[in-house]
Amino acid sequence: MSEKPFWEKPLADLNRKEWEALCDGCGLCCLNKVEDEETGVLTFTSVACNLFDCQACNCTDYTNRKARVPDCVSFNTRNLKQIDWLPPTCAYALRAQGKPLHTWHYLISGSHESVHEAGISARGKVTAYERDVELDDYELHALELPKGET
């Protein structure tokens, strides 16, 4: 009997390398969000973190991101269930709910480009960086997230 692939294991059983490899590379978590103060509705925007590489869909200084962007959130098994703003396509959110990865996830497809080809990533969706937009104008950059069917 063969062992399950690591991405099918419970998140708490993953080592650091496996945890990092679970990221699908969509970059949607690096887009800013705005919350309506009255309704609590959260809206993703097309405004990216200043460290975000919008073509590669990754952080340009991942190792030092917390020092450079103090409100950057590092996901872990302790805080994942409290984070209610992850896109529904996020591999971490899916696995925390016991759901399988989507077929476009590189661990399934074998290609890091499949997330972009499926239209799931932030590639081509970024309209500005934080440094270029006033906080009051974020709502002008509202972004509808992809549904991410498999």
Side-chain angles (χ1 to χ4, degrees):
M1 182 183 236
S2 65
E3 189 175 319
K4 286 183 180 183
F6 76 84
W7 59 86
E8 292 181 4
K9 296 177 184 177
L11 292 176
D13 293 347
L14 300 182
N15 63 37
R16 185 71 178 154
K17 183 178 177 184
E18 292 168 336
W19 178 270
E20 292 293 331
L22 190 58
C23 176
D24 55 36
C26 73
L28 294 175
C29 60
C30 298
L31 300 181
N32 284 265
K33 300 107 188 125
V34 291
E35 183 176 2
D36 185 297
E37 292 178 12
E38 294 176 17
T39 66
V41 172
L42 193 70
T43 302
F44 273 73
T45 73
S46 58
V47 179
C49 169
N50 291 329
L51 296 179
F52 187 64
D53 178 329
C54 62
Q55 182 59 33
C57 285
N58 62 26
C59 184
T60 59
D61 194 5
Y62 187 76
T63 303
N64 301 305
R65 70 192 185 284
K66 292 292 293 173
R68 296 186 59 192
V69 181
D71 60 348
C72 180
V73 176
S74 297
F75 309 130
N76 58 56
T77 55
R78 294 178 306 282
N79 70 4
L80 195 58
K81 292 187 180 182
Q82 285 77 43
I83 299 172
D84 62 356
W85 50 261
L86 290 173
T89 55
C90 176
Y92 294 108
L94 289 170
R95 293 304 303 133
Q97 298 167 25
K99 295 179 181 177
L101 299 180
H102 290 295
T103 56
W104 45 258
H105 192 290
Y106 81 93
L107 291 170
I108 306 299
S109 73
S111 170
H112 285 279
E113 287 300 306
S114 58
V115 67
H116 310 299
E117 292 165 357
I120 303 303
S121 76
R123 185 182 286 171
K125 295 176 177 69
V126 173
T127 58
Y129 285 92
E130 293 172 323
R131 65 182 165 265
D132 302 321
V133 179
E134 295 294 326
L135 190 57
D136 290 342
D137 292 335
Y138 275 33
E139 64 189 33
L140 301 174
H141 296 268
L143 179 68
E144 187 170 330
L145 291 182
K147 301 291 185 250
E149 289 78 16
T150 57

